[in-house]
């Protein structure tokens, strides 16, 4: 049986179901070695070495074919495709009223994944979802120090972190995240301080 917890919708997002939504209760993140072990367990005919070889080769194939304009469809799983983004700011033409259309560099932003609906249907067919017995805010799987380091890494990459981003990053409720960030800001050794930029308060290093 699978468990879920009820979360708050981030500010600024609309939902036909209101401000609450169900989120999977995640207990463990399986790493590379665990995935290899699981595949081997479900299909013992494939040794762990063979499984590793296939996974590593799949990563290489994705790296090489996605930038060539191909999508990668794996039956019963889904379709992978490359998402791009501009790396330069727009440059306005000299004449007023001319559209801002000039960009110089593009890079890969992410790899999109569109799941095969059959996989979703099979999951629903074989599983029922129950609300976690602990109706209180679910505990974060990360220690306080790990949460701080994850936040600092996020800030180093993005420049700042918002309350909801901190909550999502560390699987905390907004209330828990707000309380913890306030404590971190008051601690001069944490490396995090508050900033009033934008519609929501940001927390910058």
């Amino acid at each position: 049986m699978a468990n879920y917890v009820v979360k708050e919708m981030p500010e600024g997002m609309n939902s036909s179901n209101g401000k609450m939504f169900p989120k999977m209760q995640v207990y463990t993140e399986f790493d590379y070695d665990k995935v290899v072990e699981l595949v081997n367990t479900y299909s013992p005919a494939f040794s762990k070495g063979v499984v590793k070889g296939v996974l590593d080769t799949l990563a290489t194939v994705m790296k090489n074919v996605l930038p060539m304009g191909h999508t990668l469809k794996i039956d019963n799983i889904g379709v992978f495709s490359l998402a791009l983004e501009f790396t330069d700011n727009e440059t306005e033409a000299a004449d007023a009223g001319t559209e801002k259309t000039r960009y110089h560099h593009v890079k890969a932003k992410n790899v999109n994944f569109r799941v095969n609906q059959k996989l979703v249907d099979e999951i629903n067919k074989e599983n029922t979802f129950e609300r976690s017995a602990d109706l209180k805010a679910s505990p974060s799987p990360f220690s306080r120090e790990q949460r701080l380091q994850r936040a600092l890494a996020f800030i180093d990459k993005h420049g700042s972190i918002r309350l909801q981003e901190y909550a999502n990053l560390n699987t905390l409720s907004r209330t828990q995240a707000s309380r913890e960030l306030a404590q971190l800001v008051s601690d001069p050794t944490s490396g995090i301080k508050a900033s009033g930029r934008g519609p929501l308060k940001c927390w910058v290093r």
Side-chain angles (χ1 to χ4, degrees):
M1 181 181 297
N3 291 329
Y4 70 88
V5 294
V6 176
K7 294 287 187 178
E8 297 176 74
M9 184 69 67
E11 291 186 17
M13 295 183 64
N14 296 320
S15 171
S16 59
N17 295 323
K19 294 184 178 181
M20 311 300 290
F21 66 96
K23 184 181 175 99
M24 191 73 193
Q25 177 70 69
V26 177
Y27 300 101
T28 307
E29 180 180 81
F30 288 157
D31 61 13
Y32 176 84
D33 289 335
K34 184 62 177 180
V35 171
V36 170
E37 178 185 335
L38 288 170
V39 174
N40 172 252
T41 299
Y42 279 90
S43 297
F46 303 108
S47 69
K48 290 183 179 180
V50 169
V51 175
K52 288 182 178 181
V54 171
L55 292 178
D56 292 346
T57 303
L58 176 60
T60 299
V61 170
M62 293 178 67
K63 178 185 70 176
N64 289 320
V65 305
L66 294 182
M68 300 299 293
H70 305 292
T71 60
L72 198 62
K73 178 182 178 182
I74 302 178
D75 289 348
N76 302 319
I77 295 181
V79 179
F80 296 88
S81 61
L82 199 61
L84 305 177
E85 67 178 349
F86 293 112
T87 59
D88 287 356
N89 293 325
E90 294 178 337
T91 58
E92 296 185 42
D95 297 332
T98 301
E99 294 185 358
K100 305 173 182 179
T101 57
R102 294 188 179 182
Y103 293 87
H104 295 289
H105 297 95
V106 170
K107 69 175 182 179
K109 178 182 180 181
N110 203 350
V111 174
N112 294 329
F113 172 68
R114 185 175 75 252
V115 68
N116 186 317
Q117 186 58 43
K118 180 181 178 181
L119 176 59
V120 178
D121 293 341
E122 289 294 325
I123 289 174
N124 284 324
K125 180 180 178 180
E126 298 177 11
N127 295 274
T128 57
F129 296 87
E130 300 288 343
R131 187 168 182 177
S132 175
D134 182 6
L135 299 183
K136 298 180 180 179
S138 55
S140 171
F142 309 106
S143 69
R144 180 185 173 89
E145 178 60 28
Q146 288 174 322
R147 294 195 294 271
L148 172 59
Q149 294 306 314
R150 287 166 64 83
L152 292 176
F154 186 98
I155 292 172
D156 286 342
K157 182 176 181 180
H158 301 282
S160 64
I161 188 169
R162 295 174 184 265
L163 174 60
Q164 189 62 51
E165 290 170 336
Y166 185 87
N168 293 343
L169 183 68
N170 292 308
T171 62
L172 296 170
S173 69
R174 283 180 62 88
T175 301
Q176 290 173 310
S178 178
R179 186 183 303 117
E180 185 162 290
L181 278 173
Q183 294 173 350
L184 290 173
V185 168
S186 65
D187 180 0
T189 67
S190 71
I192 294 182
K193 63 180 180 179
S195 171
R197 297 178 307 173
L200 293 175
K201 182 174 290 187
C202 295
W203 310 83
V204 297
R205 191 167 191 172

